[in-house]
Amino acid sequence: QVHLVESGGGLVQAGGSLRLSCAASGRTFSTYAMGWFRQAPGKEREFVAAISWGARSTDYADSVKGRFTISRDNAKNTVYLQMSNLKPEDTAVYYCNALSDWGTRNALYYWGKGTLVTVSS
């Protein structure tokens, strides 16, 4: 299975932007759809965005549509999440993972450490 390392989180004011990165190593990365998930304190982990292996298709949670953009660079084994117009409710630990199948929004591998995004009002 792949080893996933998320980075790019931090503290930002509402309306600001951040770009998260997910570096993958191990099993071949480019053949899998990838997704971003997040978990706020006291809440269950939820789906945020996904991108197909060839980057032809994307999928976003309604809460982030129009504000977040997922992309990938298969040559670098890296997935990105560009977040703009951040809101306090976006505060969470963000995780990336491969998807078990396109459209399922289910993670395939063990979770990494994630990266914390804190949005202040």
Side-chain angles (χ1 to χ4, degrees):
Q1 64 182 42
V2 299
H3 180 237
L4 304 166
V5 179
E6 300 92 343
S7 62
L11 175 63
V12 64
Q13 291 186 321
S17 299
L18 285 173
R19 189 173 83 152
L20 307 183
S21 297
C22 170
S25 62
R27 192 167 296 176
T28 302
F29 167 82
S30 61
T31 62
Y32 293 95
M34 296 291 294
W36 284 95
F37 303 77
R38 67 186 183 187
Q39 186 171 27
K43 295 185 177 181
E44 297 295 321
R45 185 180 288 108
E46 65 178 355
F47 170 82
V48 175
I51 187 167
S52 63
W53 71 269
R56 287 179 173 267
S57 300
T58 56
D59 183 25
Y60 297 94
D62 289 342
S63 60
V64 306
K65 283 183 178 177
R67 301 188 298 117
F68 291 10
T69 301
I70 187 171
S71 61
R72 67 191 297 165
D73 186 339
N74 289 344
K76 297 181 178 180
N77 288 346
T78 302
V79 181
Y80 305 96
L81 186 68
Q82 178 66 49
M83 307 182 294
S84 62
N85 192 25
L86 284 162
K87 305 177 183 295
E89 51 263 42
D90 294 319
T91 295
V93 177
Y94 284 71
Y95 305 87
C96 67
N97 216 308
L99 301 182
S100 59
D101 197 9
W102 182 251
T104 66
R105 298 184 172 184
N106 295 324
L108 180 62
Y109 299 116
Y110 296 114
W111 299 104
K113 300 298 182 182
T115 186
L116 176 63
V117 173
T118 302
V119 184
S120 62
S121 59

